[in-house]
Amino acid sequence: MAHATQQRKPLPFAATFVAGAIAGCSEILTFYPLDVVKTRMQLQVGASSLGLGGTFKTIIAEEGFGRLYRGLAAPLMLEAPKRAVKFAANDFWGKTYRGIAGTDKMTQGISIATGCSAGATESIVVVPFELVKIRLQDKNSTFKGPMDVVKTIVRDHGALGLYAGMESTFWRHFWWNGGYFGSIFQVRALLPKAESPQAQLMNNFVSGSIGGFVGTVINTPFDVVKSRIQGANKPAPGVVPKYNWTYPALATIFREEGARALYKGFVPKVLRLAPGGGVLLLVVEFTLDVFRKALGPPYV
C-alpha cells in the first residue's frame, strides 16, 4: 500500500534544464521570422498600412529571405542561460510564496506571483541578448553580426550600454509570465482530466497556447516600448531620449499615435507566442517524460 501511494521523485535540475533548452530552441527555430516582422512593425513610428503580410513581402522583396532570420544567433545563445535562470527562479519563487501562504499546493494566485517574479528575475539575463537582436533586426541595421553590435555598444557607451532597455524588459517579462502561468493554471483546471499520454500532451498544448495568448495581450504595449527604447540611437549630449522610461513612453505613444500603436506587431507576436507557448509546454513535457523513462524508478 505504501508503494502504491508513493509519489515519483522530481527529476534532477539538469534534466529540467535540458528539456527547457530543447523546447526553447525548437520554438525559436520554428517561429523566429514572426519575431523579425513583429520588431519591424513596432519600430515604425506613425501609421503603417503594410500589416503582417505586407511586412513579410517587403522584407523578402527588398532584403531577401535570409533577412527573416537575421539576429537568430542572439536568442539561440541566450536560450540555455535563460532556461537555467527561469527554472531556478520558478522553483525559488514558488517555494517562497507557498511558504508565505502556508500551503504546499500551488494556487492560481501563487502561480501568477511566481510567474511575475520569475519573469522579473529572468529579465536581468535577457537584456543584452534582446538589445543585440533588436539592433540586428532593424531595417536600417548595418552591423555585420552579434559581436559587431556588442563591440560597437561597448565602445560608444561602455559595458552598461548593453543594458539599455533594462526597465522596459523587466516589465515585459513581469506581465507576460504572470499572464502565461496564471492562465495555464486556470485552463488546466477547466480541461477534462487526461486519460492517456496523448491526451495529456494535447492538454499541455491547449493550456500553453491559451497562456501564450493571454500573456501576449497583457504585455504587447510593454514590448512596443522595449523595441522603441532598444532600437533608438543614443541622442546628443543633453538631449532627453524620446523613449526612456516605460510608463512615460506608453503615455507618449498613446498621445502621439493612439491606442492602436501600443499593439503594433500584435498579430505576428500572438501568432508566435500563442502556438509557441503550446509548443514549449508540449516539448518540455515530452522531453521530461523521455528522461523519466530513461532514468527509471523512482522518477517514473
Side-chain angles (χ1 to χ4, degrees), residues 117-201:
S117 300
T121 306
E122 177 191 351
S123 68
I124 298 170
V125 178
V126 165
V127 179
F129 295 90
E130 281 287 318
L131 179 61
V132 170
K133 185 191 73 171
I134 293 291
R135 294 290 172 88
L136 288 171
Q137 289 179 343
D138 191 342
K139 182 178 181 179
N140 300 316
S141 173
T142 58
F143 293 107
K144 298 175 183 178
M147 290 311 299
D148 187 29
V149 178
V150 173
K151 289 177 182 177
T152 302
I153 293 173
V154 173
R155 183 193 67 210
D156 295 344
H157 311 300
L160 288 178
L162 293 170
Y163 277 85
M166 172 70 204
E167 184 244 3
S168 57
T169 304
F170 170 93
W171 288 116
R172 184 186 77 154
H173 283 257
F174 180 89
W175 290 117
W176 193 88
N177 277 268
Y180 179 67
F181 287 106
S183 299
I184 285 177
F185 184 90
Q186 185 64 34
V187 172
R188 278 176 166 171
L190 295 173
L191 289 172
K193 186 177 180 181
E195 301 295 340
S196 67
Q198 291 76 17
Q200 184 61 56
L201 288 175

